[in-house]
Amino acid sequence: METRTLIIGAGLTGLSTAARLRAAGLPVCLLEGSAHVGGQIRTFRKDGFVFETGPNTGTIASPEVAELFELLGLQPEIASPAAANRLIWKGRSLHPLPRNLQEAIGTPLFSFRDKIRILGEPFRARGTEPDETVGAMTRRRLGCSFADYAVDPFLGGIYAGDPDRLVTRFALPKLYQLEQQYGSFIRGAISKARAPRSERDRKASRQVFSIEGGLGRLIDALTDYIGRENILTESSVQHIRQSDTHTYSLTYADASGEEHTLSCRHVVSTAAAHLVPSLIESLVTEDLSSLAQLQYAPMIEVAIGFRHVDASHLPAFGALIPSRENRRILGILFPSDCFRGRAPEGGTLYTIFMGGVRHAYLWDCTDEEIRTIALEELYDMLRIPASSVPDLLHISRHRHAIPQYYADTEQRLDTIRRLEHKHAGLHLGGNMSGGIGMAHRITQGAEIAKRIIVDVAGSASSVR
Ligand SMILES: Cc1cc2nc3c(=O)[nH]c(=O)nc-3n(C[C@H](O)[C@H](O)[C@H](O)COP(=O)(O)OP(=O)(O)OC[C@H]3O[C@@H](n4cnc5c(N)ncnc54)[C@H](O)[C@@H]3O)c2cc1C
């Protein structure tokens, strides 16, 4: 019996799935269209700076993340205490985002009226609209200034998205559940913090991590664990066909364009949603427009490093910009405040995020225009002298950076469920469902692997 699993895409989802399968002793082969393993995750080193061109940090938000580190024997680098400070731009300066009720009452970010409103949050009625957006929900529970100066910049940082289109139960399911289960964010957060947790659940935390030397080291560790020989790069999958009930055949083109076919019992796609219909069109008859139409926010990431710079800001994770403030960037991360070795001794590294749903027009700017905007915004916001010259400036672009979980999400999830049910052994993963962050990707990989392991074990025992 064929037990090998073929995985389309060697990003974090595909690699996490493969690592779990390898841990269970099952054969895997990953097919990656590009020349690089890691998908959106990539670390570069230049002139003493270590910078990311995709995600900068993850959170140990689920036990699966901690378990992956255990499996790989890899130590995450936990961000320094400075990472607890998140700054928000308002007026002409940066203000710390409140971390508790007391700070929320004192901050200039929220209006006096909304501070009173926050105190009344535990007593406000539960929402009844299942597809309520994050913007509408937070305005209803906490007031406009909280939505504008906490939620909007937060969603700009995570989703590069629009709070008035992102639906809470898909985009921030934990927040949605707090209201549904406990009737209030504040009461829910307190109850959850007090609830007993299993030993496994205690592995999860809010800790922000990278890896010493950058997130690329996580990809290296995954590659070593899975075995480089099991990852085919420059191998772009063209289509999946079903040979019989239990066998799929998968055709891919290698770097020279030559086509090859492999067969398997389980196939896992981790490709972005708009790429999936062409992969499975010969397999299915259903309407796949709900996958094809998933909107992705474009993002431009600019790493800027200085050997020495005069900048004025509190050491922090970074600064986020509310859309009301009408600046041309979404936010700035301060990686060298949080992790060791990101800049040469005495130097500073910044990462600027631009684009997103709100500023999608920036995608068409030339690199020179992006460079000018990034430096103007950075210098103005951090009061860096105009005469300063960066020692590093690197621009990276992601056309399909972050999927936007709008009101059409239920329809897409339904399509995925139906396809997986109808075609046993077909697994449609990736960030079109299950969350957009690294922790979500690792968790989804573990879940897919578990389904495969259970199926293979079941088939083996029925053969015996
Ligand atoms: C700019 C940016 C910043 C981010 N910041 C953060 C952050 O700070 N924290 C966080 O938690 N998350 C962040 N994320 C999200 C995080 O990067 C993703 O959750 C994660 O890396 C996605 O992994 P994936 O494997 O699902 O997808 P990908 O990394 O996109 O991997 C999918 C792979 O599939 C391959 N592929 C597609 N089609 C085919 C085919 N037909 N044949 C073969 N291969 C194919 C692609 O080449 C790709 O390598 C960020 C993302 C971006 C773009």
Side-chain angles (χ1 to χ4, degrees):
M1 187 187 64
E2 174 71 85
T3 57
R4 177 174 59 177
T5 297
L6 296 176
I7 300 175
I8 304 170
L12 188 57
T13 312
L15 292 166
S16 304
T17 311
R20 292 290 190 136
L21 292 172
R22 293 296 288 151
L26 295 179
V28 293
C29 176
L30 289 117
L31 295 130
E32 168 54 50
S34 74
H36 140 86
V37 177
Q40 293 180 336
I41 299 175
R42 207 158 181 186
T43 306
F44 285 83
R45 288 174 184 77
K46 196 168 180 241
D47 302 333
F49 294 95
V50 175
F51 60 96
E52 310 284 353
T53 59
N56 278 248
T57 57
T59 49
I60 307 187
S62 65
E64 285 82 356
V65 179
E67 286 162 359
L68 183 68
F69 283 116
E70 285 164 19
L71 187 68
L72 300 176
L74 187 68
Q75 197 57 39
E77 183 185 0
I78 303 302
S80 72
N85 301 323
R86 314 268 164 140
L87 307 175
I88 305 285
W89 181 259
K90 184 176 185 188
R92 289 288 310 147
S93 50
L94 290 166
H95 306 272
L97 182 70
R99 288 173 297 185
N100 53 43
L101 213 52
Q102 209 178 351
E103 288 179 11
I105 301 303
T107 182
L109 291 171
F110 310 143
S111 68
F112 177 72
R113 189 167 174 270
D114 287 344
K115 288 175 185 174
I116 305 292
R117 238 186 119 74
I118 290 172
L119 295 175
E121 194 277 341
F123 312 104
R124 206 142 290 132
R126 197 182 262 119
T128 52
E129 163 57 66
D131 281 348
E132 188 173 31
T133 64
V134 182
M137 187 187 201
T138 48
R139 275 193 298 274
R140 174 171 60 75
R141 294 209 70 83
L142 298 165
C144 291
S145 62
F146 191 87
D148 289 344
Y149 284 94
V151 175
D152 171 287
F154 170 73
L155 284 185
I158 296 183
Y159 275 89
D162 177 354
D164 286 320
R165 296 194 70 192
L166 290 162
V167 169
T168 317
R169 71 184 166 115
F170 303 120
L172 297 177
K174 286 184 181 166
L175 189 73
Y176 179 75
Q177 282 309 326
L178 285 184
E179 191 191 45
Q180 288 303 302
Q181 277 179 13
Y182 303 95
S184 145
F185 300 156
I186 295 174
R187 266 192 286 134
I190 294 170
S191 303
K192 287 208 91 162
R194 286 184 183 157
R197 294 198 299 164
S198 68
E199 201 177 320
R200 181 166 186 257
D201 284 343
R202 280 202 297 273
K203 291 181 179 180
S205 71
R206 290 176 167 198
Q207 285 182 311
V208 171
F209 74 84
S210 177
I211 313 286
E212 210 166 323
L215 289 171
R217 298 260 199 254
L218 171 60
I219 301 303
D220 295 343
L222 280 159
T223 304
D224 289 346
Y225 187 83
I226 294 159
R228 186 66 185 82
E229 67 284 5
N230 296 314
I231 306 176
L232 305 182
T233 47
E234 297 186 274
S235 299
S236 179
V237 177
Q238 314 290 294
H239 49 74
I240 306 167
R241 295 205 165 91
Q242 194 157 11
S243 325
D244 61 55
T245 332
H246 292 302
T247 316
Y248 292 93
S249 69
L250 190 148
T251 303
Y252 71 94
D254 66 19
S256 66
E258 195 183 328
E259 290 201 346
H260 308 264
T261 298
L262 296 172
S263 61
C264 60
R265 182 185 174 89
H266 288 276
V267 57
V268 181
S269 167
T270 69
H274 62 286
L275 302 172
V276 175
S278 70
L279 285 175
I280 58 174
E281 66 190 355
S282 48
L283 191 68
V284 305
T285 48
E286 1 228 318
D287 173 16
L288 298 177
S289 54
S290 65
L291 305 187
Q293 286 163 11
L294 172 58
Q295 189 181 336
Y296 281 77
M299 278 234 260
I300 304 163
E301 192 169 345
V302 189
I304 301 180
F306 299 91
R307 290 185 184 283
H308 301 283
V309 71
D310 277 334
S312 108
H313 62 79
L314 182 74
F317 185 73
L320 290 168
I321 294 115
S323 25
R324 269 183 162 268
E325 294 291 318
N326 286 322
R327 299 210 69 117
R328 292 168 293 174
I329 63 174
L330 299 169
I332 310 169
L333 294 181
F334 307 157
S336 50
D337 281 3
C338 303
F339 299 102
R340 292 184 296 274
R342 301 305 156 119
E345 191 61 37
T348 308
L349 176 68
Y350 296 109
T351 305
I352 296 191
F353 289 99
M354 300 168 72
V357 169
R358 288 245 168 88
H359 305 152
Y361 64 90
L362 289 175
W363 185 258
D364 296 321
C365 287
T366 62
D367 278 1
E368 200 41 50
E369 288 164 334
I370 293 294
R371 179 193 157 93
T372 304
I373 296 172
L375 288 176
E376 281 176 4
E377 295 287 312
L378 180 75
Y379 286 15
D380 183 54
M381 288 178 62
L382 303 188
R383 319 240 191 279
I384 295 176
S387 55
S388 309
V389 179
D391 298 292
L392 167 86
L393 196 144
H394 183 280
I395 299 171
S396 47
R397 295 172 182 257
H398 300 263
R399 177 70 193 83
H400 294 94
I402 310 282
Q404 303 296 304
Y405 292 171
Y406 293 159
D408 58 1
T409 302
E410 187 63 65
Q411 201 190 341
R412 187 173 64 259
L413 296 181
D414 221 48
T415 303
I416 295 170
R417 276 192 292 264
R418 261 185 296 117
L419 288 169
E420 290 184 333
H421 181 72
K422 198 162 160 194
H423 303 278
L426 173 70
H427 307 270
L428 298 175
N431 60 14
M432 64 183 179
S433 68
I436 62 158
M438 290 172 52
H440 298 117
R441 305 291 87 238
I442 292 170
T443 305
Q444 187 187 60
E447 286 164 0
I448 293 174
K450 194 169 168 190
R451 291 205 298 267
I452 295 173
I453 293 163
V454 167
D455 178 73
V456 172
S459 310
S461 61
S462 68
V463 167
R464 268 189 252 121

